[in-house]
């Protein structure tokens, strides 16, 4: 039996991988979307683990909702990426720099 | 009558300054001259009443300041000291007014000129008649102001402007010192009235005042301040540089201000404060002697090598003022005063004669461009000769009675400082004769060096110039003999209480019983000076003087006034200007204060806002990194909620993180 804390740390690591994927990714828009999926998945997993720990179904409900939202968000994000690609012919992040402070 | 003496010149000044445009310059000249003539006659009457009949008159016409203990009335004190100064001031002023009518005939601003002259006379009268230090200070500043206006009379000339500013500024050093002196007098005596201060002077003989880290005797400190004031006004060594430059003004101005009246104000101050000086410690009087003796010597040597006719006479003024000052320092105030009176006459004569020469030579002032004038303008020659002989103390002329008396008295004190003053003064007498006759030779006797056109238009003094010259000439011959017994005669009670001289310091009698040789030394030296001047100019033996290296150096040293001006310009004025520009303007005003003040703050706000806008680079990953950082920051804030220090640390870390981010953003990506 893997203890709860091990799984939590694993989730945290997964979440951090997602964050670093966003922050240190200088070129690819698609990998950002994937990192965001990874973050959402790690959150989902953590919710389910907690639902098991506290013996409460609400968290699982939340997990199901988040799955839905993650799917919708991925669909919209990919659609934006496609439109962006049509406009600029590339999905590099460095080309999204027109709005400066 | 007493107040009229003061307000007639003021009336004249007002009429000339404000109304000469309507009444015409000729009328302005007539009015001011006649008003001054009336003033002079009144002063003669005052002299009869006050001086000869030994009375005293005080007029108080209300208060200037009346604040608690600080009372300064408008009071006018007429004692014998004031009465004799009045004679000097108004007579010279009257004659100069008359003289200006001819000398400044073609000047387009004659009205203004007469107004300034009268204004000067008014302030000088305020100075000598005031019965308290505040009024003395008013006159003191007033004559400074008038001298500025008069030196700067031809205001389109840059040299005149510079000379006037210099005169004002150098005088102002002394004025500051006078203010300090008056303040100190008020602190201790709780009054600025002469009557109170001089009566109480003995009370403060041993009181102390802490100043500049030293514990001074109060009277010593007051006397030092007053001495510096006198040094500034009377052009003594150290602050003398303004006097020769003040020759940029018209010649009557030089005669009035820089020979007879304004520069005598310093000596007048010393004489007026005789009670303070007598009660101060001996070292202060020694200081006065040394300053005066050095000035006498310095100015006499400098006068030797000047080529400007007026500057030579200006240095001679400086030198004679040195005599007066050291006479005061040796406690012979009455003798100093006597010399002041005599000197006013013969110096005014010299200046006015010089003006006559300059006038007849179409405003040529350089003695090297003159020559052979003795036969062309004999009248002026006669009077400049009288003036010079009187100046060098030729026996039985005016200068002899005061100048040689000063030297005799200096010798008969039998103190080292007295002898120091005696020998320096005698040498100065030698040089005085030398430069006087150098001028006379160059201008009147020597070969003609001037322009032919100038010489063909030459004319001797017109009537209005001739009259003052004649009067002053007679005064220069007879004033000393006539006034001798009155002013400095043995046991004369003329001065009454106006001059205090402690009995310890009085040694007038000793001078009468000096060996004849020592009495003759100044006269002999003067005669030697005449002979030397003659030999230098004519004898071929001395022609080597221009070629020798040593004499060139000596000539340059004397011609450049002992390099005083150079030292002052390079080590004082320019350093002052440098300090003003670099330190107080660029470093403090534009530097520190602006950096921490408005400019720095706006700059900071601008930079901060630029910094924070630069945070938004437009790149997604920078935004993501910022978001991450801020989330971490907020999280750590909750973490360190109970530890304030930690919060500050977190902020510091956050700020440095921002900088690192910017650095990465700018140089790495």
């Amino acid at each position: 039996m893997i203890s709860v804390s091990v799984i939590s740390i694993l989730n945290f690591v997964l979440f951090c991988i997602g964050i670093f994927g966003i922050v240190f990714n200088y070129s690819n828009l698609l990998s950002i979307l994937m990192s965001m999926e990874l973050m959402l998945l790690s959150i989902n997993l953590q919710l389910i683990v907690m639902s098991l720990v506290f013996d409460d179904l609400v968290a699982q409900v939340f997990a199901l909702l988040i799955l839905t939202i993650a799917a919708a968000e991925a669909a919209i994000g990919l659609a934006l990426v496609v439109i962006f690609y049509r406009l600029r012919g590339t999905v590099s992040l460095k080309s999204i720099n027109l709005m400066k402070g | 009558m007493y107040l009229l003496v003061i307000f007639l010149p003021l009336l004249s000044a007002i009429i000339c300054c404000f109304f000469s445009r309507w009444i015409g310059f000729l009328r302005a000249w007539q009015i001011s001259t006649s008003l001054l003539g009336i003033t002079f006659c009144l002063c003669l009457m005052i002299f009869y009443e006050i001086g000869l009949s030994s009375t005293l008159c005080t007029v108080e016409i209300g208060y200037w300041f009346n604040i608690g203990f600080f009372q300064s009335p408008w009071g006018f004190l007429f004692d014998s000291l004031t009465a004799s100064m009045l004679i000097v001031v108004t007579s010279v002023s009257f004659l100069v007014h008359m003289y200006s009518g001819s000398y400044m005939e073609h000047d387009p601003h004659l009205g203004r000129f007469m107004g300034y002259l009268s204004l000067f006379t008014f302030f000088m009268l305020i100075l000598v008649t005031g019965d308290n230090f505040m009024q003395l200070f008013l006159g003191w500043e007033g004559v400074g102001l008038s001298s500025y206006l008069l030196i700067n009379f031809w205001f389109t000339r840059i040299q005149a402007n510079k000379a006037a500013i210099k005169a004002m500024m150098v005088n102002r050093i002394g004025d500051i010192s006078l203010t300090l002196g008056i303040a100190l007098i008020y602190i201790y005596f709780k009054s600025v009235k002469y009557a109170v201060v001089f009566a109480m002077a003995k009370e403060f003989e041993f009181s102390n005042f802490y100043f500049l880290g030293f514990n001074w005797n109060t009277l010593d400190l007051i006397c030092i301040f007053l001495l510096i004031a006198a040094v500034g006004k009377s052009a003594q060594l150290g602050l003398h540089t303004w006097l020769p430059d003040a020759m940029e003004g018209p010649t009557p101005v030089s005669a009035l201000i820089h020979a007879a009246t304004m520069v005598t104000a310093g000596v007048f101050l010393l004489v007026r404060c005789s009670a303070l000086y007598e009660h101060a410690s001996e070292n202060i009087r020694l200081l006065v002697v040394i300053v005066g003796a050095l000035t006498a010597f310095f100015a006499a040597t400098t006068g030797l090598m000047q080529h400007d006719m007026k500057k030579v006479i200006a240095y001679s003024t400086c030198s004679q003022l040195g005599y007066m000052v050291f006479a005061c320092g040796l406690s012979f105030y009455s003798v100093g005063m006597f010399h002041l009176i005599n000197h006013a006459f013969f110096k005014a004569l010299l200046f006015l004669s010089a003006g006559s020469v300059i006038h007849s030579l179409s405003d040529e002032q350089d003695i090297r461009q003159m020559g052979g004038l003795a036969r062309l303008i004999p009248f002026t020659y006669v009077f400049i000769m009288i003036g010079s002989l009187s100046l060098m103390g030729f026996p039985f002329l005016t200068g002899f009675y005061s100048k040689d008396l000063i030297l005799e008295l200096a010798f008969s004190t039998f103190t080292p400082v007295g002898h120091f003053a005696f020998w320096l003064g005698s040498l100065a007498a030698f040089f005085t004769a030398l430069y006087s006759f150098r001028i006379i030779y160059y201008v009147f006797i020597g070969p003609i060096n001037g322009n032919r056109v100038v010489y063909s238009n030459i004319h001797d003094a017109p009537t209005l110039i001739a009259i003052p010259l004649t009067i002053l000439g007679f005064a220069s011959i007879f004033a000393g003999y006539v006034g001798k017994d009155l002013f400095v005669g043995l046991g004369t009670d003329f001065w009454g209480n106006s001059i205090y001289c402690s009995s310890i310091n009085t040694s007038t009698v000793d001078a009468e019983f000096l060996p004849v040789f020592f009495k003759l030394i100044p006269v002999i030296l003067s005669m030697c000076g005449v002979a030397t001047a003659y030999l230098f100019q004519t004898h071929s033996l001395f022609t080597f003087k221009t070629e020798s290296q040593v004499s060139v150096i000596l000539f340059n040293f004397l011609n450049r006034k002992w390099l005083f001006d150079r030292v002052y310009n390079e080590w004082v004025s320019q350093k002052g200007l440098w300090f003003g520009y670099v330190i107080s303007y660029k470093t403090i005003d534009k530097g520190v204060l602006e950096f921490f003040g408005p400019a720095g703050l706006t700059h900071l706000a601008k930079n901060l806002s630029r910094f924070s806008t630069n945070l938004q680079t437009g790149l997604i990953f920078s935004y993501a990194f910022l978001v991450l950082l801020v989330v971490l920051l907020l999280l750590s804030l909750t973490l360190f909620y109970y530890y304030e220090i930690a919060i500050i640390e977190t902020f510091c870390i956050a700020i440095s993180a921002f900088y690192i981010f910017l650095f990465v953003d700018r140089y790495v990506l």
Side-chain angles (χ1 to χ4, degrees), chain A residues 19 23 26 96-97 99-101, chain B residues 616-618 621 623 625 628:
Chain A
I19 283 180
V23 170
Y26 294 159
I96 312 178
N97 59 358
M99 286 185 51
K100 286 178 183 167
Chain B
Q616 301 174 333
T617 51
F621 42 85
Y623 292 156
F625 181 67
L628 176 68

Side-chain angles (χ1 to χ4, degrees), chain B residues 195-320:
Chain B
V196 180
V197 173
F198 298 151
M200 284 167 67
K202 197 169 171 50
E203 298 295 315
F204 293 96
E205 212 165 350
F206 302 108
S207 76
N208 288 317
F209 189 77
Y210 203 70
F211 181 69
L212 285 180
F214 291 98
N215 207 5
W216 300 77
N217 181 316
T218 311
L219 279 181
D220 285 5
L221 194 57
I222 291 173
C223 286
I224 286 176
F225 282 143
L226 296 185
L227 174 65
I228 295 171
V231 163
K233 201 58 112 189
S234 284
Q236 298 298 300
L237 195 67
L239 296 179
H240 65 277
T241 53
W242 67 272
L243 184 61
D245 285 14
M247 294 301 121
E248 292 296 333
T251 312
V253 170
S254 312
L256 179 59
I257 298 191
H258 308 113
T261 41
M262 179 174 149
V263 287
T264 59
V267 180
F268 173 77
L269 179 72
L270 293 183
V271 177
R272 182 56 99 192
C273 299
S274 51
L276 296 179
Y277 278 90
E278 287 299 296
H279 287 117
S281 74
E282 200 187 354
N283 294 333
I284 301 303
R285 291 196 294 280
L286 298 188
L287 185 66
V288 179
V289 178
I290 288 169
V291 167
L294 285 178
T295 310
F297 180 72
F298 153 78
T301 53
T302 310
L304 285 178
M305 290 301 165
Q306 301 300 314
H307 295 309
D308 188 318
M309 195 173 180
K310 286 172 73 181
K311 278 200 176 156
V312 178
I313 306 177
Y315 275 109
S316 125
T317 303
C318 206
S319 167
Q320 299 301 311

Side-chain angles (χ1 to χ4, degrees), chain B residues 251-503:
Chain B
T251 312
V253 170
S254 312
L256 179 59
I257 298 191
H258 308 113
T261 41
M262 179 174 149
V263 287
T264 59
V267 180
F268 173 77
L269 179 72
L270 293 183
V271 177
R272 182 56 99 192
C273 299
S274 51
L276 296 179
Y277 278 90
E278 287 299 296
H279 287 117
S281 74
E282 200 187 354
N283 294 333
I284 301 303
R285 291 196 294 280
L286 298 188
L287 185 66
V288 179
V289 178
I290 288 169
V291 167
L294 285 178
T295 310
F297 180 72
F298 153 78
T301 53
T302 310
L304 285 178
M305 290 301 165
Q306 301 300 314
H307 295 309
D308 188 318
M309 195 173 180
K310 286 172 73 181
K311 278 200 176 156
V312 178
I313 306 177
Y315 275 109
S316 125
T317 303
C318 206
S319 167
Q320 299 301 311
L321 287 165
Y323 281 100
M324 296 173 209
V325 168
F326 82 66
C328 290
L330 293 167
S331 298
F332 303 117
Y333 301 97
S334 55
V335 184
M337 199 60 205
F338 184 42
H339 192 48
L340 191 161
I341 296 163
N342 294 342
H343 169 259
F345 292 130
F346 58 72
K347 197 45 68 68
L349 174 66
L350 273 177
F351 261 117
L352 294 185
S353 317
S356 173
V357 171
I358 292 165
H359 198 50
S360 60
L361 284 177
S362 313
D363 298 332
E364 177 58 61
Q365 293 197 15
D366 196 326
I367 55 171
R368 291 169 299 185
Q369 303 290 318
M370 300 177 181
L373 290 177
R375 264 169 272 170
L376 294 168
I377 45 171
F379 184 81
T380 313
Y381 174 52
V382 167
F383 283 106
I384 227 169
M385 200 67 174
I386 292 173
S388 296
L389 286 175
S390 190
L391 169 71
M392 52 185 260
F394 191 80
F396 314 118
L397 292 182
T398 294
F400 172 73
Y401 289 102
S402 51
K403 188 168 132 182
D404 285 22
L405 180 60
I406 288 178
L407 292 173
E408 274 176 28
L409 287 170
F411 189 82
S412 68
T413 51
F414 302 114
T415 55
V417 171
H419 283 221
F420 171 77
F422 171 76
W423 287 111
L424 277 189
S426 300
L427 279 178
F430 171 76
F431 290 127
T432 306
L434 190 52
Y435 64 67
S436 297
F437 271 82
R438 180 169 163 270
I439 289 193
I440 286 175
Y441 184 84
Y442 263 110
V443 178
F444 292 103
I445 300 171
I448 292 173
N449 294 319
N451 192 335
R452 187 183 162 180
V453 182
V454 171
Y455 271 72
S456 58
N457 288 329
I458 207 161
H459 56 89
D460 209 342
T463 323
L464 279 179
I465 289 185
I467 295 171
L469 288 190
T470 316
I471 297 173
L472 285 171
F474 274 98
S476 301
I477 298 174
F478 296 115
Y481 179 70
V482 171
K484 178 176 179 289
D485 279 332
L486 181 65
F487 291 116
V488 292
L490 210 54
T492 175
D493 61 348
F494 172 76
W495 298 107
N497 284 329
S498 60
I499 290 177
Y500 172 81
C501 185
S502 112
S503 53

Side-chain angles (χ1 to χ4, degrees), chain A residues 19-20 22-23 25-26 32 93-94 96-101, chain B residues 613-614 616-625 628 664 669:
Chain A
I19 283 180
F20 291 147
I22 292 174
V23 170
N25 182 357
Y26 294 159
I32 283 187
L93 268 178
K94 287 180 180 173
I96 312 178
N97 59 358
L98 290 179
M99 286 185 51
K100 286 178 183 167
Chain B
T613 52
N614 277 349
Q616 301 174 333
T617 51
L619 295 166
I620 301 287
F621 42 85
S622 343
Y623 292 156
F625 181 67
L628 176 68
V664 170
L669 296 184

